[in-house]
Amino acid sequence: MILLNQIIQGVLLGGYYALIACGLSFMFGVMRIINLAHGSLAVLSAYALYVLADSYGVSPFLGLVVVVPAMALIGAGLQRTVLERSARGGLLVPVLSTFGLSIVIDNLLFEKFGADTRSLAPYIGDLSYDSWAITDDIAIGKLAALTMATAIVLLGGIQLFLNRTPLGRMIRATAEDPDTVGLVGVSAERVNAIAAGLAIATVAISGAFLAMRATFNPYAGALQLIFAFEATVIGGAGSLWGTLFGGIVLGVAQSLGASVSPQGFFIAGHLAFLAALFFRLFFGDLGLNLRRVLVRRPQ
Amino acid sequence: MKAPAIRIERWTPESRVALALALIVAALLAVGPLLFDANIVDRLTTLFIYVILAVMWNALVGYCGLVSIGQQAFFGLGAYFAVRLADLGFSVYPSLFVAALIVGALSLPLSTIMLRLKGGEFAIGMWVVAELAHLLVNLDTLINGETGTSLIALNAYAIGKRRALTYWCAFAAMAGLLAVVFVLLRGPTGAAIQAIRDNEQAAESIGVRVTRAKRLVFMLSATGAALAGSLWVATAVTFQPRTYFSPQWTAYMIFMALVGGLGTFEGAILGAVVFFLIEAWFGGAGVWYLVGLGAAALVFALALPRGIWGWVEDKTALRLLPVGYRVKLIGEPDVDKGA
């Protein structure tokens, strides 16, 4: 029963990882851009919501109405000023430039807010600790469930958007071959700016959940980037449903690791990531294989 | 029309002068503790460690095209093994080098997994490795978790003697690693790894043993970073895992290599000197100093990806320590054939 509870809590934790990985997976898998400032942008959104809640009394959910469009604009601007120029410089440059950007964001946040840890938990009432009791041993937190639901809606929504809408097709086509989409009258720059805006908008949402479920500080971005990356890689780059699966594998591994020893939480997560890499070397993509087995649809 | 006569040139008159000057400077630095006062000796020791970090990262990234955000894994492990060996009763100074060799050996199995990753996946994958190394080191009870420990075996040496010995170790490590990288880059392996950086498939198709060349540079870079870490613990004495496994070290390496000149041998050394001076002048500015480092990395990556030295090379065709080839048309002006 204890084991079952740990697995359930791990799955729910995985919902958060899937959520934080959503924007990274979208940029990495679809746009083929690696954004090392991903975690820092999530923390930036968390601070924006914190300021709105703390200074103006705006509830975090209402605050998202302001912060999500603002982050979308930042994302589009980032694409225009940094990512696009970097991508032209080859594989190397985006990694270097976005890492530089993350250092700038982290330290500016530190300059503004100091080393104190903050949380949005006090501003969401009993949602932060309320739960549904399933049995005597197992309870499901309402916030965790909301996180999972948000992750599913966001990942599924983006997947549908990419597959079914004209703009989604344009985004995929632009990632595939920006010069050719130019020939058929699509502005690759505009499409990429929209896509980056969308990706960073999801980062804003994940930043809200980061801040509601726990505490954060100006340097919390690095770990969020690593978790997002691990979930993306375990799930198989390029598939958003895979990312949900990757997040859950990561969450369950951490939850089980924590039951072995206090340090086991992080160690098990990183080991799960390395195991997934190792698996990929010999058997191909874990997420992809699993989908093939489960769905059994000719690719 | 007769084909123009060409000559392949490696050394140039100015590069012979530069090498002679470099050797004179090296000879002077070799007797540093006899010439300089204590403060300067300490600062030069730090500079040597920065040069090692910059040159090792530059070899991996600038020449091999493998961007890693996780070199602090090796830096931290080098320091850890130095502390561990000293605690087991081995003599401190040889332990610094042995620690680096142990880390170099550990990087071999690691390379078999990590080198399969490409681009950004390799970069962040290495970061995960660094986090894992950090957590595993914390499991060793000797380290006391994040509290850390000290290289107490250094107390056996008088302060002046310790300073000079650490200086000489750092100098020997830097000179040795620079020589290894210089010879490696000038040789066939240097041509091979640059071919891999520029186009991996094309390199493989003309018979470059891609995996072997990458692994060699990866292991060299791991060993060098580990040596920098073990030397750092010899100067700082205290070992706190969080400090040593911080991605800040990689940020420093990126700054040095990018500003000095990615993919140029002289550039990495120049970048280390620039970083050393900036730290001396602005290090006290705290957060704004770090903001400046990040912003500089961002701007250089976008606007001047071959750094200061790359820019000088492009403008003047000057090569001080040539690791490449250039084609010279006899009776014609110089035709520059890249690095």
Side-chain angles (χ1 to χ4, degrees):
Chain A
M1 227 24 179
I2 291 172
L3 184 70
L4 180 65
N5 185 41
Q6 260 145 9
I7 291 174
I8 290 174
Q9 300 309 327
V11 171
L12 288 170
L13 180 60
Y16 169 69
Y17 293 142
L19 187 57
I20 188 108
C22 176
L24 186 84
S25 172
F26 177 56
M27 280 188 120
F28 190 52
V30 181
M31 300 172 67
R32 319 244 162 98
I33 292 172
I34 186 88
N35 175 19
L36 270 69
H38 179 83
S40 304
L41 288 168
V43 175
L44 175 66
S45 322
Y47 271 106
L49 290 169
Y50 174 80
V51 169
L52 285 175
D54 188 56
S55 308
Y56 303 100
V58 181
S59 125
F61 293 104
L62 204 60
L64 279 173
V65 177
V66 181
V67 173
V68 168
M71 289 304 288
L73 280 179
I74 289 179
L78 202 63
Q79 170 68 25
R80 278 286 170 90
T81 52
V82 176
L83 298 176
E84 202 158 87
R85 290 185 63 131
S86 305
R88 278 203 294 269
L91 264 179
L92 257 162
V93 181
V95 178
L96 300 175
S97 61
T98 54
F99 187 63
L101 183 66
S102 76
I103 296 171
V104 172
I105 295 174
D106 291 357
N107 286 292
L108 285 177
L109 287 174
F110 183 81
E111 169 65 27
K112 182 88 181 75
F113 296 100
D116 296 346
T117 58
R118 308 284 160 93
S119 176
L120 283 178
Y123 304 97
I124 54 171
D126 50 13
L127 178 63
S128 62
Y129 52 83
D130 242 13
S131 62
W132 295 292
I134 307 296
T135 68
D136 288 346
D137 300 321
I138 299 173
I140 291 178
K142 286 186 177 169
L143 183 59
L146 181 64
T147 312
M148 180 59 109
T150 311
I152 293 172
V153 169
L154 263 188
L155 288 164
I158 292 177
Q159 188 85 66
L160 278 177
F161 164 74
L162 286 173
N163 288 346
R164 301 287 165 83
T165 66
L167 184 58
R169 281 194 287 272
M170 267 192 241
I171 289 174
R172 284 187 297 142
T174 306
E176 204 67 53
D177 190 340
D179 295 329
T180 307
V181 296
L183 293 178
V184 296
V186 174
S187 160
E189 286 180 10
R190 256 193 78 205
V191 170
N192 275 334
I194 293 170
L198 182 68
I200 305 303
T202 70
V203 174
I205 296 171
S206 65
F209 283 91
L210 159 73
M212 287 191 285
R213 60 187 292 280
T215 60
F216 60 97
N217 68 44
Y219 297 110
L223 207 54
Q224 307 310 312
L225 169 69
I226 287 178
F227 290 151
F229 175 72
E230 287 178 332
T232 303
V233 169
I234 294 173
S239 154
L240 290 157
W241 286 123
T243 300
L244 181 62
F245 167 75
I248 289 172
V249 170
L250 183 62
V252 171
Q254 288 183 341
S255 177
L256 293 178
S259 64
V260 178
S261 90
Q263 295 101 325
F265 180 81
F266 287 113
I267 294 178
H270 297 325
L271 286 179
F273 164 76
L274 289 178
L277 278 186
F278 205 71
F279 185 88
R280 193 170 85 180
L281 294 185
F282 295 100
F283 307 106
D285 226 313
L286 185 62
L288 205 67
N289 270 320
L290 200 83
R291 277 197 306 286
R292 282 212 185 105
V293 174
L294 292 178
V295 181
R296 289 203 178 281
R297 204 171 47 194
Q299 299 268 326
Chain B
M1 198 185 112
K2 196 168 79 74
I6 59 162
R7 180 158 56 88
I8 303 294
E9 191 177 62
R10 303 209 76 177
W11 290 103
T12 58
E14 61 267 32
S15 68
R16 288 197 185 85
V17 174
L19 186 69
L21 278 176
L23 291 176
I24 292 170
V25 171
L28 265 178
L29 289 176
V31 291
L34 310 177
L35 303 176
F36 309 127
D37 71 40
N39 182 31
I40 294 181
V41 170
D42 280 342
R43 288 187 165 230
L44 282 174
T45 308
T46 308
L47 175 62
F48 297 158
I49 297 173
Y50 288 161
V51 171
I52 294 174
L53 288 174
V55 169
M56 286 299 117
W57 203 76
N58 187 43
L60 189 66
V61 179
Y63 283 100
C64 219
L66 291 165
V67 183
S68 161
I69 306 291
Q71 295 306 95
Q72 66 271 20
F74 306 121
F75 186 84
L77 284 175
Y80 164 70
F81 279 115
V83 172
R84 198 86 203 64
L85 288 172
D87 184 69
L88 289 174
F90 291 97
S91 175
V92 174
Y93 285 101
S95 298
L96 302 182
F97 292 90
V98 176
L101 291 177
I102 293 174
V103 177
L106 284 177
S107 73
L108 175 65
L110 188 64
S111 74
T112 58
I113 303 184
M114 299 314 290
L115 288 179
R116 306 266 187 133
L117 301 179
K118 301 260 182 292
E121 278 200 328
F122 175 79
I124 312 185
M126 286 301 298
W127 196 347
V128 174
V129 169
E131 292 290 313
L132 186 59
H134 178 185
L135 293 163
L136 293 178
V137 162
N138 277 2
L139 292 181
D140 187 338
T141 49
L142 170 71
I143 303 303
N144 303 317
E146 292 298 352
T147 318
T149 182
S150 299
L151 198 54
I152 29 180
L154 283 172
N155 290 341
Y157 298 88
I159 185 85
K161 192 177 175 201
R162 185 205 298 179
R163 177 177 291 118
L165 279 173
T166 309
Y167 176 96
W168 272 314
C169 283
F171 177 75
M174 176 190 72
L177 285 169
L178 279 176
V180 167
V181 172
F182 187 65
V183 170
L184 191 74
L185 288 178
R186 271 180 70 89
T189 311
I193 59 179
Q194 290 178 67
I196 294 168
R197 176 195 59 189
D198 294 337
N199 189 332
E200 190 167 325
Q201 278 92 12
E204 194 154 25
S205 74
I206 56 165
V208 172
R209 292 166 73 180
V210 170
T211 311
R212 206 185 73 134
K214 274 187 176 176
R215 179 171 297 152
L216 184 69
V217 178
F218 182 82
M219 289 178 68
L220 173 68
S221 163
T223 313
L227 194 49
S230 68
L231 288 164
W232 195 266
V233 82
T235 61
V237 184
T238 54
F239 175 76
Q240 283 161 315
R242 194 179 305 237
T243 317
Y244 283 76
F245 286 99
S246 162
Q248 210 149 69
W249 292 104
T250 294
Y252 293 164
M253 292 183 223
I254 289 181
F255 177 86
M256 291 188 280
L258 260 182
V259 170
L262 215 51
T264 63
F265 184 78
E266 301 92 329
I269 303 170
L270 176 69
V273 174
V274 169
F275 175 67
F276 173 76
L277 293 175
I278 288 179
E279 194 195 34
W281 290 327
F282 301 109
V287 174
W288 285 108
Y289 158 72
L290 293 171
V291 171
L293 286 189
L298 177 63
V299 169
F300 270 87
L302 290 178
L304 209 61
R306 293 205 347 112
I308 298 172
W309 194 257
W311 180 79
V312 170
E313 280 191 346
D314 292 343
K315 291 278 172 210
T316 64
L318 182 69
R319 302 283 188 282
L320 294 186
L321 296 167
V323 292
Y325 302 83
R326 69 164 113 194
V327 180
K328 208 159 184 173
L329 297 168
I330 293 173
E332 300 267 339
D334 286 2
V335 176
D336 192 7
K337 276 287 164 199

